[in-house]
Amino acid sequence: MRGRNREKRERYRGERNNWVRVIEQALEEKKEKSDLHAAHGSDYFLRDSVLDTGQKFGYLEIRTSRHKIYVSIRGDKVWLYKNEEDYRLGIGITSVEMNVATVKDADRRAFDLTTPYKTFSFIADTDSEKEEWVEALRESTAEALSNYEVAEQIWAVESNTHCADCGTPKPEWASINLCLVVCKKCAGQHRALGPGISKIRSLKMDKKVWTKRMIQMFQWINNWKANQFWAANVPPSEAINEASSSQERKRFISAKFREGKYRKYHLLFGNQEELNKALCAAVVTSDVEETMSLVFCGADVSCSSGDPELPSPIDLAQQSGQSLQVEFLNQNKNSEAPRLELGHFDKQYYVAPQSITHNGFLYKTASMGKPITEKRSKEEFSKRWCVLDNGVLSYYDSDRNSTPNGTIGMSEVVCLSINSPAAHGFEHTFEVFTDSERLFMFGTDSAQSNKEWIKSIAKSFLPAGIDLMNHDFERIGRLQYKDGLNLELTKVGWFALVTSTLYAWFQDSDKEEAINLRKLQELSEQSDHEVLVLVEKRRTLYIQAERKLDFIGWNSAIQRAAGSMGNTLSEQQLTDEDIPVVVERCIAYITQYGLTSEGIYRKSGQKSKTTNLLEMFLKDARSVRLREGEHHVDDVSNTLKRFFRESIGESIFTDEAYQNWFHTSMIPEERQKILQYQTLFTCLPQVNRATLKALINHLYCVQRVSDKNQMTMHNLAIVFGPTLFQTDGQDNKAGRVVEDLINHFIDLFNVDEQQLKKQLDEIVSIIKLRDVCLMQSSQNAGDFICTVYLEEKKSECELSLK
């Protein structure tokens, strides 16, 4: 026993000695650092001193113990102290490296800071304080994970070490088209201008943007050179500094870049033809500053150079080996030249009505700077007394409090979004987006309360005269847009999304326009510029939001609304003629490549390929392109059949009426039968009528070349009868109906025989052409190639078609 005790004492003595050595070593190192720092004549504390100004500091309550501690966020670390006195003395409890930490919202005013070894649960004094702490912690995490290499290279130029707008040191953001380095606060105002004016990227986080050439451009056109143009005429009374408010920054940055109020005007300003000529001359030299002056005084980056081999300024710059010129021109392909007449537009247009009042309890989450992608539980909402009055929504801890926890100005609201029922912990929720890149989510106890709040808030931020309130919208707000007739000028419109219809109140319009999103010919996103492109039959619309957060919401909502949303024909993506795109695409492909294929529609194709193709059509029919060589005609024909049999919930003849079609097929007298079919046809829904007519027209054409494909009227009826009626094919009633429809196609659908003859002549020409191509397939036949232009005759709008 004594031997074991002796061993324990020796082991404890050894551990104690180790601890003593470590502590003595730490104290010695601290003394050496202190002496070194004092020798340089600096403050007593080193870089990590607690006296360094933090991003955020103050008291937070520990949720488990209800005791308060002093917390300081500095750079990529969080320091915890017993109290403020210890903070000033530099006596800390611990520090947290934010590169291994995550921040998560909790209920009410609480939030968690989670590390691999411990979770710190804090409670802030107010909701707004909590939001500030959470945002500061997330910024600290971002800084811990960021890359300083690019920033250091760009800061190597003296003028780039201070914000080009307010002078704040060490700016970490840049406008990659304006060639300016700016601070975080000014970057927010740049982003509000939209990517058509200023494209903002982070020096530390947007790694892909910072190519070697881009960095060289920022070292060449530095803040000093850029401001020689942009800030040549800034009155001292209008300049901003590090301490300026967000409103002062907004006013100054809008005037500087949207209006070009302080720029140095080029001598050729106002003479478009001469500006373009000067641009073509400048880009073949190394004078990028001259190019910048020309472009932002109105020269067209895509103008014609007059040289057919080098048609644009970009081509000229590439040929001359001017890589920085090429980079600058590429970044400004879609930039807008400043326009003085837009200077007072915001103040004129966004005047919210002040007479709307409403109050009541709402359940609120902490505001966010990113989209909500996960379901929020009830515990993450805090009950707040909310008052909407005089254009301001204020929220309080209770209806007995006189000081609000926070406010949302209705003039700052850019969008209101209504979530689907039960999307979150509360059955009914809605989201408010502001121009400061914040998202507020609220929940209500009842559908009626939700409806009243939504109506009141929408009325409060919609300008007078914009009448979109008569729609049961799921999203409403303002967006910037350009249309195909004028791509130079960005305008502002108000939009409301209702199921698959986007109602738009365009600038200078006195009425709304409806855009059927399911009938768009194309819907795409220009991700580099955060622009959504909507192509209609007679118009192309370019939509962008003022803020990235708002754009993400609109993009997601419009993409979803433009897709197929159900299992009825009318819920599919449609053509202008109300035919499902999947039907139109398959018919067109078979007409082009499969009319002479033996057994077309009788053969089934490969099941795996038709399953994959059908899934693609149901997901987004508009994006599916059928190409010869990639898609076999039997796979396409089987996809069409499976769409009618499997993908729609009821037959094209409708469940309530299909028996009447069967009975009609039994009528012996032909004329009476045709009249009854016509009556049944007119009773079908519009999309069903258009689809049935298009399909029977196609089958009529298929059987006209039955000598080649062996698919007679009767054979087609055997295939399509059970398919269209969704029956098992045990009796011949369904086939008899389809055969009647094909046989009496001209009389049944009142077909213009001249139009039909033209269509059949086209089919004959297609067949002859294919026969000739097959005969010449072993020869090197030349292709016919032509150039077409989309919207404008410019190089970036040019396509070559074969």
Side-chain angles (χ1 to χ4, degrees):
M1 177 70 74
R2 289 180 179 176
R4 285 199 298 271
N5 288 338
R6 190 180 299 111
E7 288 176 8
K8 282 185 179 180
R9 283 197 297 274
E10 288 299 326
R11 189 168 67 252
Y12 293 153
R13 189 179 294 113
E15 290 178 358
R16 183 194 64 186
N17 291 339
N18 287 338
W19 274 108
V20 169
R21 280 196 299 273
V22 170
I23 293 171
E24 287 176 342
Q25 184 179 352
L27 290 171
E28 185 63 28
E29 288 176 356
K30 184 171 183 180
K31 183 176 184 303
E32 289 175 2
K33 288 181 179 179
S34 301
D35 292 343
L36 176 65
H37 206 61
H40 286 79
S42 302
D43 294 337
Y44 177 75
F45 295 104
L46 295 175
R47 182 175 179 270
D48 287 336
S49 163
V50 294
L51 291 184
D52 289 345
T53 303
Q55 295 165 240
K56 177 76 177 169
F57 48 86
Y59 280 103
L60 285 172
E61 185 179 303
I62 300 290
R63 188 162 25 161
T64 51
S65 66
R66 294 294 176 179
H67 290 136
K68 287 193 173 184
I69 62 170
Y70 202 85
V71 181
S72 173
I73 305 172
R74 295 192 311 282
D76 57 0
K77 288 184 180 179
V78 175
W79 299 75
L80 309 182
Y81 306 90
K82 186 176 180 181
N83 50 45
E84 188 174 0
E85 184 180 353
D86 283 2
Y87 162 74
R88 297 190 179 281
L89 293 173
I91 306 172
I93 301 171
T94 187
S95 66
V96 178
E97 299 282 350
M98 292 302 287
N99 63 329
V100 293
T102 57
V103 185
K104 185 179 179 182
D105 279 334
D107 59 323
R108 299 185 178 276
R109 302 189 310 276
F111 59 94
D112 295 333
L113 177 62
T114 304
T115 70
Y117 52 87
K118 183 178 175 62
T119 295
F120 301 91
S121 297
F122 297 118
I123 300 177
D125 290 336
T126 64
D127 280 351
S128 57
E129 271 289 301
K130 171 189 171 178
E131 291 165 10
E132 290 176 12
W133 277 106
V134 169
E135 184 176 2
L137 287 167
R138 286 175 175 160
E139 287 176 359
S140 180
T141 302
E143 181 166 342
L145 298 173
S146 62
N147 179 8
Y148 278 80
E149 185 180 348
V150 170
E152 294 293 347
Q153 290 183 64
I154 289 180
W155 291 342
V157 179
E158 176 63 28
S159 66
N160 289 343
T161 60
H162 290 79
C163 174
D165 294 326
C166 72
T168 297
K170 297 294 183 183
E172 298 181 0
W173 297 82
S175 173
I176 59 174
N177 63 313
L178 302 178
C179 300
L180 294 164
V181 189
V182 295
C183 67
K184 179 186 173 183
K185 292 180 179 178
C186 290
Q189 299 304 329
H190 274 261
R191 195 176 284 113
L193 298 176
I197 296 176
S198 182
K199 296 190 287 188
I200 289 294
R201 298 293 184 269
S202 169
L203 298 184
K204 295 181 178 179
M205 289 176 282
D206 293 322
K207 298 178 185 178
K208 291 182 180 179
V209 170
W210 296 103
T211 60
K212 183 178 179 181
R213 195 160 67 179
M214 177 74 83
I215 294 170
Q216 289 173 343
M217 186 171 73
F218 269 77
Q219 291 172 333
W220 181 263
I221 306 183
N222 50 61
N223 279 358
W224 184 82
K225 287 182 180 178
N227 270 335
Q228 289 294 299
F229 171 74
W230 287 110
N233 302 293
V234 179
S237 60
E238 296 184 24
I240 60 173
N241 55 47
E242 192 175 346
S244 296
S245 67
S246 60
Q247 285 300 317
E248 289 170 331
R249 290 174 198 270
K250 180 178 180 180
R251 172 194 53 75
F252 175 78
I253 289 170
S254 180
K256 185 176 179 180
F257 301 106
R258 187 194 292 277
E259 302 172 40
K261 183 177 179 181
Y262 314 122
R263 63 184 156 168
K264 182 179 180 180
Y265 285 91
H266 197 280
L267 292 174
L268 299 174
F269 179 78
N271 189 330
Q272 188 67 57
E273 185 178 349
E274 292 302 318
L275 282 170
N276 292 347
K277 287 181 180 178
L279 178 63
C280 292
V283 296
V284 299
T285 73
S286 60
D287 194 351
V288 188
E289 299 98 295
E290 172 71 3
T291 299
M292 181 174 71
S293 175
L294 288 162
V295 168
F296 292 117
C297 281
D300 184 357
V301 171
S302 302
C303 67
S304 173
S305 67
D307 184 343
E309 294 184 4
L310 302 170
S312 71
I314 293 178
D315 295 319
L316 291 171
Q318 285 176 331
Q319 177 68 18
S320 303
Q322 298 296 335
S323 59
L324 297 189
Q325 295 276 18
V326 173
E327 185 69 36
F328 178 81
L329 294 171
N330 278 326
Q331 293 301 332
N332 286 285
K333 275 184 178 180
N334 298 297
S335 294
E336 303 168 20
R339 293 174 178 271
L340 278 171
E341 64 267 24
L342 294 176
H344 305 290
F345 179 75
D346 289 342
K347 295 177 184 177
Q348 260 183 2
Y349 205 86
Y350 309 136
V351 180
Q354 304 294 310
S355 58
I356 308 299
T357 59
H358 194 68
N359 61 61
F361 280 106
L362 286 172
Y363 298 87
K364 175 186 172 294
T365 64
S367 72
M368 286 149 274
K370 59 182 181 180
I372 300 172
T373 55
E374 298 177 352
K375 182 173 182 177
R376 294 302 175 103
S377 64
K378 262 192 173 183
E379 290 69 29
E380 295 181 79
F381 290 79
S382 302
K383 190 174 183 180
R384 293 288 177 262
W385 175 254
C386 296
V387 177
L388 175 60
D389 186 32
N390 201 32
V392 177
L393 175 63
S394 305
Y395 46 93
Y396 304 77
D397 273 335
S398 74
D399 54 353
R400 295 186 297 275
N401 288 83
S402 57
T403 303
N405 283 357
T407 61
I408 305 171
M410 291 296 101
S411 60
E412 301 169 13
V413 175
V414 294
C415 180
L416 174 63
S417 175
I418 296 87
N419 296 316
S420 56
H424 298 283
F426 282 86
E427 181 77 10
H428 306 283
T429 56
F430 61 90
E431 298 169 10
V432 176
F433 295 75
T434 68
D435 60 10
S436 58
E437 197 88 32
R438 305 302 294 175
L439 185 164
F440 299 82
M441 182 161 68
F442 297 92
T444 61
D445 287 323
S446 67
Q448 183 59 33
S449 174
N450 203 58
K451 188 174 182 180
E452 290 171 358
W453 273 108
I454 289 166
K455 183 178 179 181
S456 299
I457 292 172
K459 280 186 174 180
S460 294
F461 78 86
L462 282 174
I466 305 297
D467 186 15
L468 293 171
M469 293 298 298
N470 56 329
H471 301 294
D472 189 15
F473 55 83
E474 57 196 79
R475 194 176 191 91
I476 191 169
R478 74 174 182 248
L479 292 167
Q480 298 174 344
Y481 72 93
K482 298 178 183 178
D483 58 45
L485 300 177
N486 186 355
L487 296 177
E488 300 296 323
L489 179 62
T490 297
K491 302 176 183 178
V492 172
W494 293 85
F495 297 80
L497 181 61
V498 184
T499 59
S500 62
T501 303
L502 184 65
Y503 292 95
W505 202 291
F506 294 116
Q507 187 177 324
D508 302 325
S509 175
D510 58 356
K511 62 180 181 179
E512 68 180 30
E513 292 186 34
I515 302 169
N516 189 329
L517 296 175
R518 290 207 199 109
K519 287 189 175 183
L520 292 176
Q521 293 183 354
E522 183 183 333
L523 176 63
S524 60
E525 177 190 354
Q526 295 179 355
S527 55
D528 288 349
H529 306 291
E530 294 171 8
V531 174
L532 200 58
V533 184
L534 285 67
V535 181
E536 299 179 274
K537 188 172 183 179
R538 295 179 178 84
R539 172 175 62 186
T540 300
L541 197 63
Y542 300 82
I543 290 178
Q544 62 190 62
E546 295 176 27
R547 297 288 187 166
K548 183 175 183 178
L549 182 62
D550 191 24
F551 175 79
I552 291 171
W554 276 105
N555 184 21
S556 175
I558 290 174
Q559 295 275 9
R560 187 170 56 249
S564 299
M565 300 180 69
N567 64 352
T568 66
L569 285 173
S570 61
E571 290 175 311
Q572 309 304 307
Q573 292 179 349
L574 304 172
T575 67
D576 274 339
E577 291 75 30
D578 286 322
I579 302 166
V581 173
V582 54
V583 176
E584 188 266 343
R585 294 269 167 92
C586 289
I587 287 176
Y589 187 83
I590 298 298
T591 301
Q592 184 75 19
Y593 302 110
L595 283 182
T596 59
S597 176
E598 186 174 338
I600 186 69
Y601 289 117
R602 188 176 66 241
K603 296 178 181 178
S604 294
Q606 293 186 29
K607 186 174 181 180
S608 60
K609 291 186 176 180
T610 58
T611 299
N612 182 55
L613 187 55
L614 184 58
E615 287 175 354
M616 290 168 60
F617 270 120
L618 293 177
K619 183 179 180 181
D620 184 10
R622 196 182 294 110
S623 66
V624 179
R625 296 290 183 268
L626 297 173
R627 294 182 175 90
E628 188 181 20
E630 292 182 27
H631 303 96
H632 193 277
V633 289
D634 291 334
D635 296 332
V636 176
S637 66
N638 198 37
T639 297
L640 181 62
K641 290 188 296 181
R642 288 182 62 182
F643 171 76
F644 282 112
R645 178 183 281 276
E646 303 170 13
S647 301
I648 53 177
E650 64 175 3
S651 81
I652 193 171
F653 301 100
T654 72
D655 288 348
E656 62 183 24
Y658 79 94
Q659 287 290 350
N660 295 333
W661 290 84
F662 288 167
H663 295 152
T664 302
S665 70
M666 306 297 291
I667 298 174
E669 205 278 311
E670 290 297 308
R671 188 59 196 162
Q672 186 181 352
K673 182 194 289 189
I674 291 173
L675 290 174
Q676 183 59 28
Y677 274 136
Q678 287 177 328
T679 301
L680 293 173
F681 177 73
T682 56
C683 292
L684 290 175
Q686 166 59 25
V687 175
N688 295 50
R689 290 201 306 272
T691 306
L692 182 61
K693 182 177 180 180
L695 180 63
I696 300 302
N697 179 24
H698 171 62
L699 297 181
Y700 179 85
C701 295
V702 171
Q703 60 87 33
R704 287 294 295 260
V705 288
S706 59
D707 57 320
K708 294 180 180 292
N709 59 38
Q710 307 304 310
M711 292 303 291
T712 63
M713 195 182 306
H714 181 69
N715 290 341
L716 288 170
I718 292 173
V719 173
F720 274 94
T723 296
L724 296 181
F725 279 97
Q726 298 180 347
T727 61
D728 56 14
Q730 292 300 311
D731 60 53
N732 63 355
K733 293 177 183 176
R736 191 183 299 139
V737 172
V738 173
E739 190 167 353
D740 283 343
L741 295 180
I742 299 172
N743 188 31
H744 300 294
F745 168 67
I746 297 174
D747 294 329
L748 254 173
F749 298 101
N750 296 316
V751 175
D752 184 330
E753 295 195 40
Q754 284 297 110
Q755 283 295 106
L756 181 61
K757 182 180 182 303
K758 183 179 177 182
Q759 183 182 5
L760 294 173
D761 288 343
E762 289 173 356
I763 289 172
V764 170
S765 299
I766 289 171
I767 294 171
K768 285 182 178 179
L769 181 61
R770 289 193 61 77
D771 289 342
V772 170
C773 290
L774 287 172
M775 291 172 60
Q776 297 179 346
S777 60
S778 60
Q779 303 173 11
N780 292 323
D783 294 315
F784 175 72
I785 300 174
C786 66
T787 300
V788 298
Y789 295 90
L790 304 179
E791 301 288 353
E792 298 178 286
K793 194 172 182 181
K794 293 182 178 179
S795 59
E796 68 268 22
C797 304
E798 179 181 302
L799 286 177
S800 293
L801 299 182
K802 183 171 76 172

